[in-house]
Amino acid sequence: MRAKIQKSMELILVFTLLVSYTLMTAIVYHQTLHLLKNEIRQEAEYIQTAVTISGSNYLKELHEINAVDEETRVTWIDANGDVQYDSKSDSSSLENHANRPEIASAYKNGSGSDIRTSGTLGHQMYYYAVRLDDGTVLRLSKTSNSMAATAMNMLPVMTVIAVAMLILAWLLAKWQTARIIKPINDLDIGNPMQNAVYEELLPLLTAIDEQNKEKDAIAQMRKEFSANVSHELKTPLTSISGYAEIMMNGMVKPEDIPTFSERIYKEAKRLVTLVEDIIKLSKLDEESVELEKEDVNLYELTREICTLLSPQAEKKHVHVQISGGNVVYYGIRQILNEMIYNICENAIKYNYENGHLEIWVGNTLNGPKITIADDGIGIPKEHQERIFERFYRVDKSHSKERGGTGLGLSIVKHGAILHDIKVSVESEENGGTKFTLQF
Ligand code: ADP
């Protein structure tokens, strides 16, 4: 960045110098030419006056004047265009001048001027011609620098100025670049909003701040999650080892062994479910879902889930009803399956004996939709926002009794984020619960 700023500053200076050089050349050229024109006109007037006063002895007068100003070329042309006198060359060797623009103009209008390279002298000349009273023409000319010659004349001075300016600019650019860069180098990325730097950096700093907060939140969540996981794993493991220890020590009557074994089996099963849920969730969390999206018939999928859950429903005498129609959604089948399964399983788990579970799958104007409604125990208002948090349970002891891990709805939430599905809950304590998935 430093090198780039410095380089661009130097480039700007070089460009400015070149533009200044061109402009200066043009100005100097035009000013010099303007002065030259005035000078020649004045000289011409003087000679004209002198000639008028001293009569027709033009040649003599012109000779004298020419002796005074060496740079001025004086030419006298008669009314036919023949050169009668030329201060710089032999007049007899000069061709007829009647067609020279300044002379033609002087014959016609009394005076005329032109700039061109002289065929006789080989320089760029400025010519000014005046018609005298007897019809002859007096022409004065002086060498005038061309634009290129003016530029060449200015080159040494401009080179000295340019070198001095470049050295100065290099030093200034170095100093200025260091000044601009310093606040950026001193940025405290850990506390981005504490930096009082350039306004232009504010969006970047805000983004970094948000990222930092997000990272902190994730770190905190991970910490809480590991603490929760350890706790959740420890409880069934303690029970299992406790029961096993009692059995090992022969403290259980033979007739009680099946009961103890069943307890061990249930706790072990809970552990397996818990570990499975943790694996599912961490996979969703890492966004390392490698599963391919495909067209999934949501109605078919929900029906399959209901079939799978029917033993649980029958055990509790929960009446399950599914309505609606086929609707196809492009998503990850396995995750959609987990989501619908968890909500339906909850609707049975947290239902009363002889309760109802009504499922509707169909298409709406806003896209595919699934509603899963039960008339079970419901979720009190104050808990509704939190049920999607990991390990959050409304009634911890009962949830465990019912075989819950507290991770089911977290899986639903993550699956919904992955698919951009809107999940909403309507529930009342003892008034049942309705989950809506808007795809
Ligand atoms: P769990 O494994 O405990 O069921 P979930 O994440 O699936 O965990 O659900 C979180 C909590 O939300 C549950 O413990 C339960 O208290 C509540 N809950 C979820 N679904 C329902 C429902 N249909 N009816 C009543 N409460 C529910």
Side-chain angles (χ1 to χ4, degrees), residues 228-268:
N228 277 327
V229 167
S230 325
H231 176 76
E232 296 290 333
L233 289 174
K234 206 179 153 204
T235 321
L237 277 172
T238 315
S239 304
I240 290 171
S241 67
Y243 291 136
E245 194 182 4
I246 300 171
M247 286 167 77
M248 188 179 72
N249 294 339
M251 290 163 75
V252 181
K253 288 185 226 148
E255 61 268 31
D256 289 335
I257 286 184
T259 321
F260 273 78
S261 311
E262 193 193 338
R263 283 182 192 163
I264 291 176
Y265 172 71
K266 273 191 177 163
E267 290 293 347

Side-chain angles (χ1 to χ4, degrees), residues 249-313:
N249 294 339
M251 290 163 75
V252 181
K253 288 185 226 148
E255 61 268 31
D256 289 335
I257 286 184
T259 321
F260 273 78
S261 311
E262 193 193 338
R263 283 182 192 163
I264 291 176
Y265 172 71
K266 273 191 177 163
E267 290 293 347
K269 236 184 134 203
R270 236 175 71 72
L271 265 181
V272 172
T273 319
L274 188 67
V275 171
E276 275 172 359
D277 277 358
I278 291 169
I279 292 171
K280 281 176 206 161
L281 203 58
S282 60
K283 271 190 188 156
L284 281 173
D285 228 16
E286 287 164 13
E287 288 172 2
S288 61
V289 188
E290 284 159 13
L291 300 166
E292 285 280 309
K293 280 193 175 180
E294 57 183 298
D295 279 336
V296 182
N297 185 328
L298 295 175
Y299 187 78
E300 281 294 319
L301 183 69
T302 313
R303 249 172 32 120
E304 282 164 24
I305 290 169
C306 287
T307 314
L308 272 175
L309 284 170
S310 59
Q312 271 168 262

Side-chain angles (χ1 to χ4, degrees), residues 346-347 349-350 374 377-379 387 392-395 399 404-410 433 435:
N346 281 350
K349 250 187 343 192
Y350 301 105
D374 64 67
I377 62 169
I379 308 161
I387 51 171
Y392 191 84
R393 300 163 180 121
V394 174
D395 181 346
S399 167
T405 59
L407 293 175
L409 289 182
S410 281
T433 306
F435 277 89

Side-chain angles (χ1 to χ4, degrees), residues 356-425:
H356 293 87
L357 164 58
E358 280 179 17
I359 305 166
W360 182 87
V361 185
N363 221 338
T364 64
L365 282 176
N366 297 326
K369 183 170 154 177
I370 302 181
T371 56
I372 298 160
D374 64 67
D375 52 358
I377 62 169
I379 308 161
K381 281 265 172 295
E382 65 272 24
H383 294 282
Q384 283 175 17
E385 271 205 1
R386 301 199 59 190
I387 51 171
F388 293 97
E389 288 173 19
R390 292 160 187 204
F391 297 112
Y392 191 84
R393 300 163 180 121
V394 174
D395 181 346
K396 223 169 171 145
S397 54
H398 279 100
S399 167
K400 274 190 187 168
E401 242 170 54
R402 292 171 209 256
T405 59
L407 293 175
L409 289 182
S410 281
I411 295 171
V412 171
K413 182 178 133 186
H414 280 78
I417 292 171
L418 199 72
H419 283 93
D420 203 15
I421 302 167
K422 191 171 171 267
V423 184
S424 47
V425 198

Side-chain angles (χ1 to χ4, degrees), residues 9-286:
M9 279 185 173
E10 284 159 16
L11 272 177
I12 290 172
L13 182 85
V14 169
F15 178 73
T16 317
L17 280 172
L18 282 175
V19 172
S20 313
Y21 179 46
T22 316
L23 283 176
M24 289 280 285
T25 305
I27 292 168
V28 169
Y29 171 73
H30 281 105
Q31 271 191 347
T32 317
L33 191 63
H34 181 70
L35 285 174
L36 188 79
K37 282 178 182 177
N38 281 346
E39 207 178 299
I40 287 200
R41 274 166 208 219
Q42 257 178 11
E43 268 185 62
E45 273 169 29
Y46 294 151
I47 297 172
Q48 191 180 10
T49 315
V51 166
T52 313
I53 294 166
S54 56
S56 58
N57 195 4
Y58 301 136
L59 263 174
K60 188 175 169 283
E61 301 289 339
L62 293 174
H63 247 311
E64 277 169 17
I65 305 274
N66 195 36
V68 175
D69 186 356
E70 286 243 319
E71 283 172 26
T72 314
R73 178 182 171 198
V74 182
T75 318
W76 174 51
I77 303 110
D78 68 13
N80 301 320
D82 291 326
V83 180
Q84 296 302 313
Y85 168 74
D86 189 276
S87 62
K88 298 280 180 199
S89 50
D90 180 11
S91 59
S92 59
S93 66
L94 295 172
E95 61 188 44
N96 188 288
H97 271 38
N99 287 333
R100 299 283 198 277
E102 71 282 3
I103 291 166
S105 169
Y107 283 142
K108 210 170 150 207
N109 309 317
S111 68
S113 66
D114 190 30
I115 287 188
R116 63 174 181 275
T117 304
S118 157
T120 317
L121 301 177
H123 306 136
Q124 179 176 289
M125 307 282 286
Y126 175 68
Y127 297 95
Y128 181 71
V130 275
R131 192 181 62 211
L132 302 178
D133 292 343
D134 61 356
T136 59
V137 167
L138 171 72
R139 186 186 76 174
L140 265 72
S141 59
K142 262 191 175 175
T143 307
S144 126
N145 273 342
S146 64
M147 190 80 102
T150 312
M152 283 311 286
N153 285 346
M154 287 177 63
L155 195 60
V157 181
M158 282 307 281
T159 310
V160 173
I161 293 176
V163 170
M165 291 296 278
L166 274 172
I167 294 170
L168 190 69
W170 184 79
L171 291 171
L172 279 175
K174 209 174 144 119
W175 173 65
Q176 196 60 7
T177 313
R179 245 169 52 98
I180 294 171
I181 299 279
K182 194 176 179 309
I184 299 172
N185 281 342
D186 294 348
L187 276 183
D188 176 7
I189 298 294
N191 301 298
M193 300 319 275
Q194 310 282 311
N195 300 290
V197 272
Y198 310 113
E199 214 177 292
E200 289 78 2
L201 284 181
L202 212 61
L204 176 73
L205 293 174
T206 314
I208 295 176
D209 189 46
E210 271 165 23
Q211 238 176 30
N212 285 355
K213 280 183 187 153
E214 238 169 68
K215 264 192 207 159
D216 290 348
I218 290 171
Q220 180 62 22
M221 220 172 70
R222 291 236 157 100
K223 228 164 110 185
E224 276 173 20
F225 184 62
S226 342
N228 277 327
V229 167
S230 325
H231 176 76
E232 296 290 333
L233 289 174
K234 206 179 153 204
T235 321
L237 277 172
T238 315
S239 304
I240 290 171
S241 67
Y243 291 136
E245 194 182 4
I246 300 171
M247 286 167 77
M248 188 179 72
N249 294 339
M251 290 163 75
V252 181
K253 288 185 226 148
E255 61 268 31
D256 289 335
I257 286 184
T259 321
F260 273 78
S261 311
E262 193 193 338
R263 283 182 192 163
I264 291 176
Y265 172 71
K266 273 191 177 163
E267 290 293 347
K269 236 184 134 203
R270 236 175 71 72
L271 265 181
V272 172
T273 319
L274 188 67
V275 171
E276 275 172 359
D277 277 358
I278 291 169
I279 292 171
K280 281 176 206 161
L281 203 58
S282 60
K283 271 190 188 156
L284 281 173
D285 228 16
E286 287 164 13

